[in-house]
Structures are given as structure tokens and as C-alpha cells.
Amino acid sequence: MTTQTPPIVHGEPGDAPATPPPPSARRSRRRGRNLAYWLIAPALVFMVLVHLIPTLGGLALSFKNINTFTFSRLFGAPWNGFHNYNAILFDDANPLHSGFVDAARNTLIYTAATVTGTLAGGLGIALLLARSFPGRRLVRTLMLAPYVVPSFVVATLWGFMWQSDSGIINKVLVDYLHLFHDRPTWLLGHNSLFAIIVPSIWRGIPLAMLIFLAGLETMPRELHEAAAIDGAGPWRRFRYITFPLLRPLIAVQLLFGVIYSAYQFTIPYVMLGSNPGSDADLIMTLIVRQSFSNNLIGFGAAASTLLMFVMLIWVAFWFRAFRRDLEMA
Amino acid sequence: MRKSRITALTAVALAMLSFFVAACGSSSDNGGRSDTKTTDAASLKGQTVTLWIMNNGPSPVKDTQSLVKPFEAQTGIRVNVQLVGWDVQQDRIRDAAVSGTGPDVTQAGTTQVPFFAALGGFENVGDKVSQIGGQSAYAPGIWKTSTIQGQDGTFGIPWFTEARTIYYRKDALRAAGVDPKTAFTSEAALEATLEKLKSVTKLGGESIAPFGGPGKKAYDLVHNMMPWVWDAGGAELNDDATKSTINSPQAVQGVKFATDLVGRGLWDKSMLERDGTQVENEFKGGRLAVFVGGPWVLQSAKRPEDDTWSSAARRNVAVAPMPGGTDGSKGSTFIGGSNLMVFKASRHKDAAWALIKYLSQDRVQTDYANLMGMFPARLKPQEELGSSDPDHQAFYAAIKDQGRSYAPIAQWAQVENAYKNAFGQILDQSAGKGGLSDADIQSGLDKAAKEADGLLAQSAG
């Protein structure tokens, strides 16, 4: 991409312009503003090109009837108004509707479980690692391991671990601990949603732990000491000191955690295939399958738009709920 | 102030324009490409034909390159062989056909040809078929895969063929006291054999299960399930391919045969968690006594470098035709394979056709089939290979007498996806519940039929 070279402006930011002195202060202000526009222009152009235009394109496609026969015309495909949205949300006779309802339910459960598990696990481990004990640094480093493993590898590894006949998980549960009589099948039927939630939490915990650990390190000790002198036990100290001070960190992770989980694709796709089945199909696997395997790009675009709106609502809700924490932070 | 804003906006607009101009300018490169209008062999010299192939065998690119070497020497046409994985080929070929930027020739699965052809990005080679011996050089069922139902035109030349059949372990049958001659003659016989195989729990140092097939992760799940449906008198679509019949009582019975195997513990549940290749490797590794597979499995047993085989499995592998239906019918199997299609956007259509002509020679067909562990697509080399040994005979019989394919319609690939989802779901549930009732299967197939009917009703409207 080529952009025109902006006019050369001498001097450092904050300095008085070096040469020549401006005839009036207003013009210098204007020139300063000009420079600012020039500086944000490339980023703005880029945002418009890679973000705004494709988003609008996707929105337009969601109102089109794209199928096997009209696929090659893409934007030239016939318009069909709100038909795609109606099919997804209200048309019980349309098989796409039941698929969407299943996927939405699974995504909700998956997101709630994954985010809760990740934050609770991360906080718990951070509290344990915040104490000093021999070998603490080694343990911390080891705890970070799941975070550096790519999602694809995580899903592949857990896919093998969950296998009912030869997977390590059933070996431990059935052969060593004798907790089950029959070998449970984790990757089929109702258990399959659980089978994608656990690795997602496992992979998410290290980052949450790291952030909480940083928060705990910066926490003023005096508060805890004062509370201890006043007779507060560990639980009350956590409840009234640690937790409130960590709220901003919880807030930020909640925001990103929910968005990241709602858009999860890799783990179910790698572990369970392009169609994880109605028990574990997520919105993203559904969209990809219907758009690209079944050429129903209009349906996929409509479902993506709905998901985007839900995420916008979530962000708005989040802002209302956590504004105070952010200001405090 | 307003002026400065305008200046800035102008800058933005200029920058955007320059970006677009740059983007539009980078359309297809014409470097070294020349449009060939003549079929003069000399004028084809020096051209390069790009051929997309899928992972058909253990080393597909190397094998294909060695196969076309004589063609390159003969004609002076260079063949650029590129591998496109089965997992992404549908998207890649479709996008190439729609955008007009792609290779010259591509391999396509037999069941995909009508869909790709309907996109309008492929050449109709109907007027050239006489140059490769015409339609009569192919079995009707195989030739059908090169057309679109209800339309004129030939869009893909059959390249190679495969059919699935029963693989079994001779030593396992011996240990269970079953005669291989009668073990798989009918579905009832198959069930009885598997029941007896239950007693054989260890063989050649490995734990072994009677039978296994992949579940929802198998891309070819429909090919694995339809034979049971066909045997029960069911079909995937009605005769004129306008409505789904996957929820007919016969189809329900066919699917129930499979779910009963799961419910009775004859079909190892853990295999349903695996994809096709993994189940194949379980058989090769000696952990399954019986499974249904394609001819490439047989071929790989002869390759000592294929270390997925346990020595006991390699020594004892044998094949049998698919079992007949409950009513004494001859049994059925899915007959698949791949065709070759020429892109409309190709700038070397004559060179591309010359390559297809070469690949359609009987000897080349046989050589390639042997390299890949597939069957040739043409009748004569099929017969030759089919009479070479008893195992190949079983495959040839399957192709000739039991082979069935699907209606060549543009929406088939999508209908197949809908069926795949339903079958995957049904097998999933049967693993969880230990078998399924007719009503459970019916409701799963009803959903698939509804989805398929929606797809069949699609139009260019």
C-alpha cells in the first residue's frame, strides 16, 4: 500500500515549532491538527479496508439468498429480506432453526463453564503461588506450560486422552481408581460438551493465573496485616480485601473470556470434527459448516451478525456493571 | 478548520483509491501464458499444465510425477503436480472455479462433479470423449459420475475407482471357528460371525474387537452407512432426485442394523470416536477382526515400509464381498473414486486435455491404480486387475455387481452433509444408550430428510 508522504514538520512534539515562526497561533494549531489527521490516516484507511468494508459486506450477504446455485454470484445473488434471520430465529419447520438453537444453547453453557472455570482456577492457583515456598519459581514456570501450547495441539492431545478404550483418562478412572464399571465414552453424545470444556479451561487457567498473580504481588501488605491484627481470618481477608481489589482484573478477563469463548472454533473442530453433533456443536462450528460446506453463506452471515449483536449487548452490559471498577483501577 | 478536515478526508480517499488500484492490478499473471487455439502438438510444447491432486495414496505427488514423466518427455508439456488435501479440497476447487484463478486440471471426488459443474467454472468435454474410446470404455455406473442429472454435457473424465468391501483376519476367524466362505454371505451371517468373534479377545499379542467403523468424524460416513440402507431396500433419494427418502421405513431398518451392532457390543464403541484413517490403522495394528475398507488397505499390506501393520494382521488379512441383504439380495457397496475436470479459466485447455487423454490410457490407468491402491476407472484395465488374484477379484466383483453411487445432482454434496450429520448423531446416541429404538432412528432421519428436501428445493431464483 502506498500513501503520500506527509508534509515534513520540524521539531519535537511539545517543542515550539523551529522554523519559521508562524504568523498566527491559529494557523499553527491548524497545522498541528493537520499533522494529527495525517498521522491517523493510515490506521483509519486500514480499519476501513480490513474491518468496516468486510463487516458491511457480511451484513449485506445476510440479506441474500445464497445457495449452491447462486453461490458463484455472491454479492449478485438475489435479495431475500429477513428470510435468513426468520429461518434461524422463528421458523420451527426449518432444520437450520433447530441446529441454531442447539448450537446457541451449547455455546452458552460452554462459555459460562469455561469462563467461570478459568477465572476460578486461575485465582485459586494464583493465591497458592503467591505464598513463598521452596521451588516456587519452577512451579510457576510449569504452570504456564498449557498457555504456550497452540489450541490445535491442545485439542489433538485431549482428543487422544479422552478416548474411551486407550485414553489415559479412562485408564486412570476405570483401571486404576475403579470409579466406573463401564468405560465412559467422553467424545460421543452428552459427554462431548464436557470434553471440550475441560481442555478449554486447562488452556485458559495459566493466563488468568498470571494476571491474578501480578495483581496479588502489587497488593499493599499493610491492609492484610492490619486486618489480621484486628482478628480477621484468611477467608474474611480474602472476602473483604483481596477480592474487591482484584475486581478490575476479574472484569477485564470476564470481558475477553466471554468473547473468546463465544467465538471458540478450534477445540471442538479438531476434537470432534466439522460436525460435533447436536450435543457439542457451537455457534462458530455451525456457521463455518453451513457457510463453507453447505454454501449457505447468507445463513452464515445472518448467524454471524446475530452473534455480533449478542456480543455488543454483552459489552454494553459489561460496561454498566464494571464501570466503577475500571475508574477505580 | 473545515478545510483541514476536507484535506484529511481527501488524503484518506486517495490512500484508499491507491490501495484498490493496487489490489485490482494484481489479477491473474499472464507471464509466459499463451492462449492455445490449435491442437497442434508442436504448439503445446513448452506449456505447463497445473494439476491438483488429493492425497490418494502414500506418496501421491511423487507417484503422480513419475506417472506423467513419459507424457512430459513425449509432448514437451510440463506437468506441475500440486497436492490439495481432502479436508480442504472442496473449498479450494469451488473457490478456484468461481474466481477463475486456479490450476488447469483438478481431481474431484465422483460425488462432487455435479456440484462443481453447476458452478459453471468447468469445461464441457463431451465433444472430445470419442478420443478416449467413448462412453463404452467405462461401466455405466462409473460414467454417470461425469454428468449432471437431467442435463447434457460431460464435465469430468473418470480417473480411478474404488469400492469398499469386508476386510477380515483369517486367524481370528480360525480362532472363532468360523468358515470364511460362509462368514459374510448375508447380514445375518455377518452378525453370527461377529457374535462368535466376541470370544476371541486377544490375538497376536493384541486385544482385538470383533468389528469397528468410524463415527461422526469420518468424512465418508455416508458411504459407510448407505450399503446397510440399500440392503434393506432403502434409497437416498427418490428416482428423479427431487425428494429425500432417507427416512423411509426401509432406511430406518438399514440404519438399525448398524446401531444394533453397536448396541450388542459387536461394533467397538471407541471406534466411533475415531475418523476413517484411525479406524483403518486400528485394523492394520491388529486391534479389529473385521472392518469395511477400500482397496488401498490391501495395497498397503504389500508395502513393507507401511509400519502401521502388525505382522500378524499383515499375514492374515483377507477380503470378502459385502454381505447380502436380509431378503437374499446380492448386497451393495458404495462405488466412488475420482474424476478429472478442466477449468474454464485454464489457458492451456488443449495441453490439459492431452494430459487427461494420457491418463485415460489403459496401461497408465493400471499403473496409477497400482501405485495408489485403487482400481482403474476403465472397463478393460479393471477386468485385468480384477482377475489378477482372489483379493482383487473380490473388489472387482464388488465394483461390477454390488457397486452403487448417488444421483449426480448439484446439491448432492450438501445433501450428503445433512445425512452425514444425522448418521453421526444416530451412531453417537446408540453408543450412549446401547442401541436405539426405531422411533429414535426415525426422528433423526426425519430431520435429515427435511434438511435435504430444503436443499433439493434450492434454485437459482
Side-chain angles (χ1 to χ4, degrees), chain B residues 159-172:
Chain B
W159 189 19
F160 61 80
T161 301
E162 51 103 342
R164 285 111 208 276
T165 192
I166 295 266
Y167 276 79
Y168 67 93
R169 288 272 298 270
K170 288 185 280 199
D171 51 350

Side-chain angles (χ1 to χ4, degrees), chain B residues 6-65:
Chain B
I6 289 169
T7 317
L9 281 172
T10 314
V12 170
L14 265 173
M16 279 178 68
L17 264 174
S18 66
F19 188 94
F20 270 121
V21 169
C24 297
S26 67
S27 63
S28 63
D29 66 320
N30 296 339
R33 288 187 163 195
S34 61
D35 231 323
T36 46
K37 286 276 181 286
T38 58
T39 45
D40 179 16
S43 70
L44 302 180
K45 221 179 172 128
Q47 288 191 13
T48 298
V49 173
T50 303
L51 166 70
W52 275 0
I53 58 160
M54 278 90 243
N55 25 334
N56 309 318
S59 42
V61 175
K62 216 173 76 212
D63 286 348
T64 310
Q65 278 168 339

Side-chain angles (χ1 to χ4, degrees), chain B residues 125-138 143 146 154-159 339-340 342 352-362 365 377-381:
Chain B
V125 291
D127 56 342
K128 299 193 180 81
V129 173
S130 57
Q131 298 175 29
I132 52 168
Q135 256 176 252
S136 56
Y138 300 83
W143 187 255
S146 65
T154 305
F155 296 95
I157 299 297
W159 189 19
N339 296 11
L340 293 165
V342 181
W353 177 253
L355 173 66
I356 289 179
K357 227 163 89 175
Y358 169 78
L359 293 173
S360 302
Q361 290 174 14
D362 289 355
Q365 285 253 308
R378 295 167 71 88
L379 276 172
K380 210 168 127 239

Side-chain angles (χ1 to χ4, degrees), chain B residues 134-451:
Chain B
Q135 256 176 252
S136 56
Y138 300 83
I142 289 175
W143 187 255
K144 193 176 81 171
T145 63
S146 65
T147 58
I148 307 182
Q149 187 157 316
Q151 287 183 37
D152 285 341
T154 305
F155 296 95
I157 299 297
W159 189 19
F160 61 80
T161 301
E162 51 103 342
R164 285 111 208 276
T165 192
I166 295 266
Y167 276 79
Y168 67 93
R169 288 272 298 270
K170 288 185 280 199
D171 51 350
L173 257 56
R174 256 200 314 276
V178 182
D179 177 9
K181 283 198 183 62
T182 54
F184 308 108
T185 47
S186 68
E187 284 185 2
L190 169 69
E191 265 181 321
T193 300
L194 296 181
E195 277 292 353
K196 285 191 177 138
L197 280 167
K198 251 181 155 172
S199 62
V200 184
T201 52
K202 259 200 152 21
L203 203 65
E206 288 278 1
S207 298
I208 193 162
F211 179 80
K216 62 188 170 194
K217 284 183 85 172
Y219 76 90
D220 53 356
L221 182 59
V222 177
H223 310 338
N224 299 340
M225 292 293 285
M226 279 317 288
W228 313 123
V229 172
W230 288 328
D231 282 349
E236 62 281 7
L237 299 173
N238 64 354
D239 288 341
D240 58 357
T242 51
K243 264 194 99 54
S244 168
T245 52
I246 201 67
N247 55 345
S248 69
Q250 294 86 344
V252 171
Q253 284 317 305
V255 173
K256 196 164 188 322
F257 174 78
T259 57
D260 281 351
L261 292 183
V262 176
R264 290 164 55 187
L266 303 172
W267 180 324
D268 181 0
K269 267 198 304 201
S270 65
M271 296 299 148
L272 293 172
E273 301 168 345
R274 293 172 161 88
D275 64 26
T277 310
Q278 290 169 326
V279 172
E280 200 171 286
N281 290 342
E282 291 292 300
F283 178 82
K284 289 175 171 181
R287 291 175 293 278
L288 280 177
V290 180
F291 99 117
V292 176
W296 56 88
V297 180
L298 196 59
Q299 191 70 13
S300 73
K302 296 183 181 118
R303 289 194 180 221
E305 72 274 14
D306 186 343
D307 56 6
T308 40
W309 284 94
S310 75
S311 58
R314 199 193 291 265
R315 267 199 319 273
N316 286 289
V317 62
V319 298
M322 289 292 277
T326 33
D327 55 350
S329 60
K330 63 183 176 188
S332 48
T333 183
F334 167 74
I335 185 167
S338 284
N339 296 11
L340 293 165
M341 305 179 80
V342 181
F343 282 88
K344 260 202 181 124
S346 162
R347 291 166 181 272
H348 314 105
K349 290 196 182 84
D350 292 323
W353 177 253
L355 173 66
I356 289 179
K357 227 163 89 175
Y358 169 78
L359 293 173
S360 302
Q361 290 174 14
D362 289 355
R363 188 189 46 78
V364 179
Q365 285 253 308
T366 306
D367 287 350
Y368 193 66
N370 282 333
L371 279 173
M372 296 292 155
M374 298 283 180
F375 247 77
R378 295 167 71 88
L379 276 172
K380 210 168 127 239
Q382 266 182 6
E383 273 167 31
E384 275 168 23
L385 188 63
S387 55
S388 59
D389 63 62
D391 286 336
H392 278 100
Q393 244 160 19
F395 273 106
Y396 183 51
I399 290 172
K400 216 170 53 185
D401 308 326
Q402 301 183 319
R404 274 179 75 159
S405 187
Y406 315 118
I409 54 167
Q411 304 98 312
W412 175 258
Q414 287 70 57
V415 171
E416 192 183 307
N417 273 330
Y419 291 0
K420 189 177 99 177
N421 296 349
F423 290 150
Q425 192 70 24
I426 286 167
L427 288 170
D428 247 30
Q429 287 172 341
S430 69
K433 292 185 183 175
L436 281 186
S437 68
D438 286 24
D440 287 337
I441 297 172
Q442 184 76 55
S443 80
L445 295 179
D446 279 344
K447 238 165 75 177
K450 205 157 136 187
E451 196 173 340

